Amino acid sequence: MAAKKLTIKEIAKLSGISVSTVSRAINNHYDISPGTKRRVQEVIDKYGYVPNNSARNLKLNDARNIAVLVKGITNPFFTGMLKVFEQECTSHNYSLVLEHVEESQDMTEIAALLEKEKRLNGIVFLGGNPILSSERLKRLAAPYVFCSVAVTDRKKFSRYAYVSIDDRKEAEVVTDYLIGCGRKRIAILCADERDISIGSLRLEGYLNSLKKHGIEADPELICRPENVEETYTLENGYQSTMKLVKSGAKFDAIFAISDSIAIGCLRALRDCGIEVPKQVSVVGFDGLPIGKYLVPSLTTLKQPVEEMAEASMKELLAMIAERDRKEEQPSSENKKTAVNIRKYQQIFSGTLQERESCRKES
Amino acid sequence: MAAKKLTIKEIAKLSGISVSTVSRAINNHYDISPGTKRRVQEVIDKYGYVPNNSARNLKLNDARNIAVLVKGITNPFFTGMLKVFEQECTSHNYSLVLEHVEESQDMTEIAALLEKEKRLNGIVFLGGNPILSSERLKRLAAPYVFCSVAVTDRKKFSRYAYVSIDDRKEAEVVTDYLIGCGRKRIAILCADERDISIGSLRLEGYLNSLKKHGIEADPELICRPENVEETYTLENGYQSTMKLVKSGAKFDAIFAISDSIAIGCLRALRDCGIEVPKQVSVVGFDGLPIGKYLVPSLTTLKQPVEEMAEASMKELLAMIAERDRKEEQPSSENKKTAVNIRKYQQIFSGTLQERESCRKES
DNA sequence: TTGTACGCGTTATCAC
DNA sequence: GTGATAACGCGTACAA
């Protein structure tokens, strides 16, 4: 009755075989006879033995852990990615360590701690701003990849692997589109002034487009959240729009820098008796699945989330493999510098999905 | 330059103090002088030492891991909970191991493997159906709690800790409400016939309500998904509604058993030129934040997601603490049976949120 | 208050 | 092809 802990030693005893042979059987070593292997397997199955990962990790110095550090876990934009990360980890026999990072926290700091604590094999930085302590980053032993982090300055990122879209360009596409639809007074629901992440990039794209078309940017139409905890939320979209309407500013289109903001915006316009797209066109950003089902359905710039998540994982796994290879045959070169050497950088393209919230007639 | 691995031994050497004392310093033992403790801390800070968790786990036989097994990770209903789980884990110094379980997979099977592999301290079963291999469940050494799992049969669950709502009752509340609004021909967008989870419970609640009010259930109005991979999705709501409308059946209200389904439904009605709530009232279930912002805003039954997640974690942590206590002072009783002995079971109440998608006039 | 020595469960290296 | 044993990094009983 005493629930004796099942260890490899126990299994060895029960099967009348030495621990080393049992270990060989478990790990599919080449130098083991099919017969003994089968015998060991039978005992293992019978008692339901599962090796202790902690011991294994300690010995192998490999925990097979991949961490995903995400800023804003409730952001639906990340939800679709999370599933991909989880699947990729599982299929490659890694565990996914999910860590939510507060808005105010430094991702690199948490990563540094986590890396040592959990012996991470790799790290995905998901979302957030590009305030990177390159000092700390340099010290990370594990390969890492930035996914959907605002690449404000490519030079600054030149040493890192990242997967993202070109926020500036895509925001310009969106604005171009609105202008092409005949809109002249385009408001933007953007981020806080202190934002130095995708918020500022998308604003830049908007401004670039206006400039290109000879339209002067009107400060009245640049709406920033006030006293709002989180930018990319329904509530912020609602409040910002309300404020815009109440300001009395004239506008015939609104560019919301995320779909969540756009959805809140649509509701606010409705509450103000403003018809979409008859009086005002609205465009979102992200391409959340729900956009298609809204009334009116939401014109938006779709990001290829699954593909981006897949690309991130693929690259991370490749970097991990590369590093393992390097470590096996240590050459004269310094290992440290070789870790993130691939510098894989992929900018995905978004696609504008034209739907009801935007009217084309000028 | 050689990146020597930082171990407790290294720190000991660098600070001229023995390993055990360093260990004591790290773990805040009582029997250490403030002076040496400070000295050790300085060295640790200087070199950025972080203890190796694998070794620690192996020694303590405690990995401080809590696993969340979730069926349908992309379901927005779970997203809000995930954040709470993550926060609770972090604040109690546990790591969250997130594991997505495929629709067809057996959660208990995965739990059994994961438990041994990761030396889990506790398990949260999130969502999914109540097909439980009680044999396997009994074998789980770690405490576990079911969160938002359909409690079809309280007797069957009497031995487990769970947190949920009374799906049957709440669905009845929803249907009662529609009837109270003067609706007589109420369609339900429900789950597949094989469903034995919340889908069937909510259908039961619907049927109970009709019966109570002397309304005969019309098979034409019970809409089940066809060839749909996932039930609780926007697309399923859309398709089911389209089929209902095309069937020619007459109805003046629709009860969608989840908000996602309801949102798809609203869009389908719109595409069919059916006005909500003028011609048809629509009610959802779950209380997703987005419901408030839809046009029309969605009447729905709100589940207290955060509270439910908090309650689940609180209970799980309590069970873990209890078990630790028991193990320290092993009495005559069998440990095994004591593990999940608390049997904490909490049924939360939902709240009906009345909004635009439902009209009250009869 | 501090140091020494052992063991946690596993894998790899070496004999046989 | 198989078995004995050292080592991974840490915490702790025990000795000092």
Side-chain angles (χ1 to χ4, degrees):
Chain A
M1 199 65 198
K4 201 164 195 172
K5 268 176 284 180
L6 228 43
T7 72
I8 196 172
K9 235 180 246 170
E10 248 345 90
I11 298 296
K13 210 181 292 174
L14 287 164
S15 56
I17 297 177
S18 79
V19 266
S20 19
T21 307
V22 173
S23 173
R24 276 187 273 256
I26 292 168
N27 299 294
N28 285 314
H29 256 254
Y30 61 98
D31 58 349
I32 188 169
S33 78
T36 38
K37 187 170 167 182
R38 197 168 35 74
R39 250 173 50 215
V40 171
Q41 195 55 53
E42 276 167 14
V43 179
I44 287 176
D45 289 343
K46 183 173 168 192
Y47 292 90
Y49 164 73
V50 179
N52 181 329
N53 241 352
S54 300
R56 193 174 235 169
N57 295 343
L58 175 59
K59 179 63 191 173
L60 298 178
N61 203 20
D62 182 359
R64 296 201 80 78
N65 278 151
I66 287 178
V68 175
L69 304 196
V70 47
K71 268 205 176 170
I73 195 173
T74 48
N75 187 336
F77 176 68
F78 294 138
T79 313
M81 291 188 156
L82 222 46
K83 186 180 180 181
V84 175
F85 289 135
E86 206 282 332
Q87 286 174 336
E88 287 295 303
C89 280
T90 306
S91 74
H92 288 84
N93 199 28
Y94 284 99
S95 292
L96 172 56
V97 178
L98 179 67
E99 191 88 10
H100 173 68
V101 183
E102 296 296 330
E103 193 55 48
S104 58
Q105 286 176 315
D106 181 352
M107 290 186 118
T108 57
E109 191 173 344
I110 297 190
L113 275 172
L114 214 55
E115 170 180 31
K116 291 176 183 167
E117 200 179 305
K118 296 281 169 52
R119 309 286 127 166
L120 297 181
N121 295 80
I123 303 166
V124 177
F125 291 101
L126 182 57
N129 57 46
I131 310 183
L132 306 166
S133 159
S134 51
E135 263 317 302
R136 242 193 293 262
L137 233 32
K138 224 180 287 177
R139 284 214 190 150
L140 286 180
Y144 49 87
V145 54
F146 294 95
C147 181
S148 279
V149 174
V151 179
T152 40
D153 179 357
R154 291 209 189 172
K155 265 185 211 136
K156 187 174 178 188
F157 270 83
S158 64
R159 292 173 33 243
Y160 311 125
Y162 63 82
V163 170
S164 77
I165 58 163
D166 185 336
D167 287 282
R168 207 166 351 208
K169 191 195 89 187
E170 303 295 353
E172 199 173 322
V173 167
V174 168
T175 316
D176 287 351
Y177 173 77
L178 284 171
I179 295 171
C181 289
R183 308 291 130 220
K184 297 237 150 56
R185 302 270 311 156
I186 303 169
I188 181 170
L189 304 183
C190 58
D192 185 284
E193 274 170 319
R194 293 162 306 181
D195 182 279
I196 48 153
S197 182
I198 52 171
S200 62
L201 289 175
R202 293 179 190 174
L203 175 60
E204 274 184 48
Y206 161 85
L207 294 172
N208 288 349
S209 171
L210 292 185
K211 199 171 180 184
K212 193 170 65 186
H213 289 88
I215 301 175
E216 199 180 343
D218 182 346
E220 269 198 316
L221 299 182
I222 298 178
C223 311
R224 300 181 179 278
E226 260 177 49
N227 311 322
V228 171
E229 284 180 32
E230 291 181 88
T231 303
Y232 304 94
T233 58
L234 299 159
E235 184 59 19
N236 177 33
Y238 187 86
Q239 297 296 350
S240 292
T241 306
M242 280 306 207
K243 208 180 112 203
L244 173 65
V245 172
K246 283 183 189 152
S247 78
K250 295 292 164 212
F251 56 94
D252 55 13
I254 297 180
F255 169 24
I257 65 166
S258 95
D259 281 352
S260 291
I261 298 175
I263 295 169
C265 166
L266 286 175
R267 179 71 228 186
L269 291 175
R270 166 75 174 212
D271 287 350
C272 295
I274 297 172
E275 286 183 67
V276 177
K278 201 171 168 192
Q279 295 171 267
V280 170
S281 289
V282 173
V283 177
F285 201 106
D286 280 347
L288 296 186
I290 200 171
K292 186 177 153 193
Y293 298 90
L294 295 174
V295 178
S297 58
L298 183 65
T299 294
T300 183
L301 192 121
K302 182 179 162 68
Q303 298 193 51
V305 271
E306 276 88 5
E307 289 84 344
M308 289 168 74
E310 273 163 24
S312 303
M313 278 303 290
K314 194 177 157 195
E315 181 52 23
L316 186 61
L317 291 169
M319 292 195 316
I320 293 171
E322 182 136 343
R323 202 188 62 152
D324 289 350
R325 203 174 54 73
K326 283 256 166 56
E327 291 200 340
E328 269 176 31
Q329 31 173 283
S331 63
S332 57
E333 28 173 1
N334 189 320
K335 273 182 211 170
K336 278 270 181 183
T337 61
V339 170
N340 272 308
I341 212 169
R342 289 177 57 106
K343 277 189 272 181
Y344 172 95
Q345 299 168 342
Q346 186 164 358
I347 303 285
F348 277 80
S349 283
T351 49
L352 188 76
Q353 302 193 299
E354 299 186 46
R355 295 202 274 240
E356 297 167 351
S357 67
C358 201
R359 82 179 223 271
K360 291 197 109 175
E361 314 75 47
S362 64
Chain B
M1 200 65 198
K4 199 165 197 172
K5 266 176 287 181
L6 228 42
T7 71
I8 196 171
K9 230 181 251 171
E10 257 331 280
I11 299 296
K13 208 181 292 175
L14 287 164
S15 56
I17 297 177
S18 81
V19 268
S20 39
T21 307
V22 174
S23 172
R24 277 186 271 257
I26 292 168
N27 298 295
N28 285 313
H29 256 254
Y30 60 97
D31 58 350
I32 189 168
S33 77
T36 39
K37 186 170 167 183
R38 197 168 35 73
R39 251 172 51 212
V40 172
Q41 195 55 53
E42 276 167 14
V43 179
I44 286 177
D45 289 344
K46 183 174 169 192
Y47 292 90
Y49 164 74
V50 179
N52 181 329
N53 242 351
S54 302
R56 193 174 236 172
N57 295 344
L58 176 58
K59 180 65 191 172
L60 300 178
N61 202 21
D62 181 358
R64 296 202 77 79
N65 279 151
I66 286 178
V68 175
L69 304 196
V70 47
K71 268 207 175 167
I73 194 171
T74 48
N75 187 336
F77 176 67
F78 294 139
T79 312
M81 290 187 156
L82 222 48
K83 187 180 180 181
V84 176
F85 289 135
E86 206 282 332
Q87 285 174 335
E88 287 295 303
C89 281
T90 306
S91 74
H92 289 84
N93 200 27
Y94 284 98
S95 292
L96 172 56
V97 178
L98 179 67
E99 191 88 11
H100 172 68
V101 183
E102 297 296 330
E103 193 55 49
S104 58
Q105 286 177 315
D106 181 353
M107 291 185 117
T108 58
E109 191 174 343
I110 298 189
L113 274 172
L114 213 56
E115 170 179 34
K116 291 176 182 167
E117 200 179 305
K118 297 282 168 52
R119 308 287 127 166
L120 297 181
N121 294 80
I123 304 166
V124 177
F125 291 101
L126 183 56
N129 58 45
I131 309 184
L132 306 166
S133 159
S134 54
E135 261 318 301
R136 241 192 294 261
L137 234 31
K138 225 181 284 177
R139 284 217 190 147
L140 286 180
Y144 47 88
V145 54
F146 293 95
C147 180
S148 279
V149 173
V151 179
T152 40
D153 179 358
R154 291 208 189 174
K155 263 186 212 137
K156 187 175 178 187
F157 270 83
S158 65
R159 291 173 34 243
Y160 311 125
Y162 63 82
V163 170
S164 78
I165 57 162
D166 185 336
D167 287 281
R168 209 170 345 214
K169 190 195 91 186
E170 304 294 354
E172 198 174 323
V173 167
V174 168
T175 316
D176 287 351
Y177 173 76
L178 283 170
I179 293 171
C181 290
R183 308 292 131 219
K184 297 237 152 53
R185 303 272 308 157
I186 304 169
I188 181 170
L189 305 183
C190 58
D192 189 284
E193 275 168 320
R194 294 162 305 181
D195 182 280
I196 49 152
S197 182
I198 53 171
S200 63
L201 288 176
R202 293 178 190 173
L203 175 59
E204 275 183 48
Y206 161 84
L207 294 173
N208 288 348
S209 172
L210 291 187
K211 199 170 179 182
K212 193 171 64 187
H213 290 86
I215 301 176
E216 200 179 345
D218 182 345
E220 269 199 316
L221 299 181
I222 297 177
C223 311
R224 301 181 178 278
E226 260 176 49
N227 311 322
V228 171
E229 285 181 32
E230 291 181 88
T231 302
Y232 304 94
T233 58
L234 299 161
E235 185 58 19
N236 177 34
Y238 187 84
Q239 298 296 350
S240 291
T241 305
M242 279 308 204
K243 208 180 111 202
L244 172 66
V245 172
K246 283 182 188 152
S247 77
K250 295 292 163 212
F251 57 93
D252 54 14
I254 296 180
F255 169 24
I257 64 165
S258 94
D259 281 352
S260 291
I261 298 176
I263 295 169
C265 167
L266 287 174
R267 180 71 227 185
L269 291 175
R270 166 76 174 211
D271 286 351
C272 295
I274 297 173
E275 286 183 67
V276 176
K278 201 172 168 192
Q279 294 172 267
V280 170
S281 289
V282 174
V283 177
F285 200 108
D286 279 350
L288 296 185
I290 200 172
K292 185 177 154 194
Y293 299 90
L294 296 173
V295 178
S297 57
L298 183 64
T299 295
T300 183
L301 192 123
K302 182 180 163 70
Q303 297 193 51
V305 271
E306 277 87 5
E307 288 85 343
M308 288 168 73
E310 274 164 23
S312 303
M313 279 302 291
K314 195 178 158 196
E315 181 53 22
L316 187 62
L317 291 169
M319 292 194 315
I320 293 171
E322 183 136 342
R323 202 188 62 150
D324 288 351
R325 203 174 53 73
K326 282 257 166 56
E327 291 200 339
E328 269 178 32
Q329 30 174 282
S331 63
S332 56
E333 27 173 0
N334 189 320
K335 274 183 210 168
K336 278 271 180 181
T337 60
V339 170
N340 273 309
I341 213 169
R342 287 178 58 106
K343 277 190 272 183
Y344 171 95
Q345 298 168 343
Q346 186 164 357
I347 304 285
F348 277 81
S349 283
T351 49
L352 188 78
Q353 303 194 299
E354 299 187 46
R355 296 203 274 238
E356 297 167 352
S357 67
C358 202
R359 84 178 223 271
K360 290 196 109 175
E361 315 74 49
S362 64

